[in-house]
Amino acid sequence: MTKRINIGILISGSGTNMDAIINACEDGTINGEVIFVGSDNPEARGLEKAGKKGIPTFVVNYSEITRTFKNNPDSSLLPADFDLEDIRAKQSFFKENAESDKVISFLRTRAIAEALLIEKIKPYPYDLLVLAGFMRNLTPYFIDRVNTAPGKPRIMNIHPALLPAFPGTDGYGDTFRYGCKVGGCTVHFIDYGEDSGPIIGQRAFPITESDSIESIKKKGLALEWELYPECIRLFSEDRLHVVKMTYTLDSGKFVQRTVVKIAQVPIEK
Ligand code: GAR
């Protein structure tokens, strides 16, 4: 028997992945329920669709927060439990030589937005937080307050490329412009970097000479709508286990990688 899970979703735009997840809960593919949908963008089209389904929605307006904070760099706006040095040491979006002012300003502004996000999601008893086209990187400030059980990540993301290739905001566009013969999408757990967390599942499609950015987005999204519910179903069945695997090469060199192991379905007796 699997436990019914409560799912929270964050979106920034049209929310077609959100639709696929809600449908998969409704038709029983996922033993779960979407209990809230939040957005950084008040104009996100998915908010209205979720509202029509009776799902509670909320907005934390990141753009407004960034504007306000830039014009008013008042430290009293920062959450009381914000520890800049801790967050800065953990994050891996920025390289070590990144301009210090830029990094600090980014982490401080994000902590203000993320503290509000945490306040919004706190009342909901969610098991899994799903990023479905949420176009903001989450910093360690937020991640550590959601991933509270050691070794049990519970924030998932879908990315429109075969990671680790083409992280960032335009996965399909970058894949197409590079001239790749294959494109795809990836579902992964979130870690402290940009699109760098342990990979749960991937799907690929061929790219031909007659393709355009629009046609590969179409092919990719169709695969995303299958892959995301499938990965969430595996999570709901408690079959995803993040493990560190080590190998010794013939040369004697030691290699370590982080892998999401997918457990076999337990045999019902
Ligand atoms: C999807 O293609 C998703 O992979 C991508 O945004 C789109 C959202 O579509 N996500 C990212 O690029 C995250 N960095 P949707 O709002 O229709 O689900």
Side-chain angles (χ1 to χ4, degrees):
M1 280 293 286
T2 64
K3 182 178 148 247
R4 189 172 168 79
I5 60 161
N6 288 326
I7 301 163
I9 301 185
L10 297 179
I11 60 169
S12 296
S14 54
T16 64
N17 276 287
M18 173 198 81
D19 291 335
I21 295 162
I22 295 171
N23 291 342
C25 290
E26 285 175 351
D27 72 17
T29 308
I30 298 170
N31 185 14
E33 188 184 347
V34 176
I35 59 167
F36 68 79
V37 173
S39 182
D40 61 313
N41 169 18
E43 310 293 324
R45 272 190 295 137
L47 286 173
E48 201 189 323
K49 290 193 279 181
K52 279 192 180 146
K53 290 259 178 193
I55 299 168
T57 63
F58 61 79
V59 174
V60 173
N61 192 331
Y62 270 55
S63 303
E64 197 173 83
I65 291 164
T66 308
R67 264 196 312 273
T68 311
F69 195 61
K70 266 195 179 151
N71 298 333
N72 176 22
D74 177 356
S75 295
S76 68
L77 291 170
L78 285 164
D81 57 357
F82 175 68
D83 178 345
L84 175 65
E85 285 321 310
D86 175 58
I87 306 296
R88 195 178 181 182
K90 283 176 176 165
Q91 67 78 31
S92 52
F93 312 112
F94 296 102
K95 303 232 162 43
E96 265 176 35
N97 59 359
E99 214 181 301
S100 194
D101 287 356
K102 218 171 124 185
V103 176
I104 293 171
S105 159
F106 175 85
L107 295 175
R108 286 160 60 109
T109 316
R110 282 301 161 93
I112 293 171
E114 290 177 353
L116 291 171
L117 204 50
I118 286 163
E119 278 307 304
K120 294 281 189 190
I121 68 179
K122 211 192 266 170
Y124 298 101
Y126 65 95
D127 300 294
L128 175 68
L129 184 62
V130 168
L131 311 182
F134 184 65
M135 302 305 283
R136 305 282 181 173
N137 287 319
L138 294 166
T139 76
Y141 178 79
F142 181 86
I143 295 168
D144 286 353
R145 283 159 182 76
V146 174
N147 285 343
T148 45
K152 289 244 167 212
R154 57 169 182 153
I155 312 175
M156 262 190 206
N157 182 42
I158 190 152
H159 183 74
L162 291 171
L163 290 172
F166 311 119
T169 53
D170 189 14
Y172 291 135
D174 292 341
T175 302
F176 183 78
R177 282 185 290 272
Y178 198 87
C180 294
K181 304 290 190 200
V182 173
C185 53
T186 303
V187 172
H188 63 99
F189 284 119
I190 288 290
D191 71 358
Y192 296 149
E194 183 173 31
D195 302 319
S196 56
I199 291 174
I200 300 164
Q202 294 184 302
R203 286 283 184 287
F205 56 83
I207 300 174
T208 65
E209 279 169 27
S210 60
D211 269 314
S212 60
I213 293 194
E214 286 68 35
S215 72
I216 76 156
K217 276 191 179 157
K218 230 169 144 178
K219 290 188 206 181
L221 270 172
L223 293 179
E224 291 186 33
W225 302 332
E226 291 174 12
L227 178 65
Y228 219 172
E230 223 170 89
C231 293
I232 295 170
R233 182 175 56 79
L234 292 170
F235 181 93
S236 75
E237 294 170 351
D238 196 23
R239 291 172 59 195
L240 301 177
H241 304 288
V242 182
V243 293
K244 286 218 184 317
M245 300 184 74
T246 49
Y247 305 85
T248 310
L249 302 180
D250 289 349
S251 62
K253 206 176 145 199
F254 197 56
V255 177
Q256 192 175 54
R257 61 182 191 142
T258 303
V259 174
V260 178
K261 277 202 168 182
I262 301 174
Q264 295 302 308
V265 192
I267 300 162
E268 303 256 354
K269 290 198 176 146

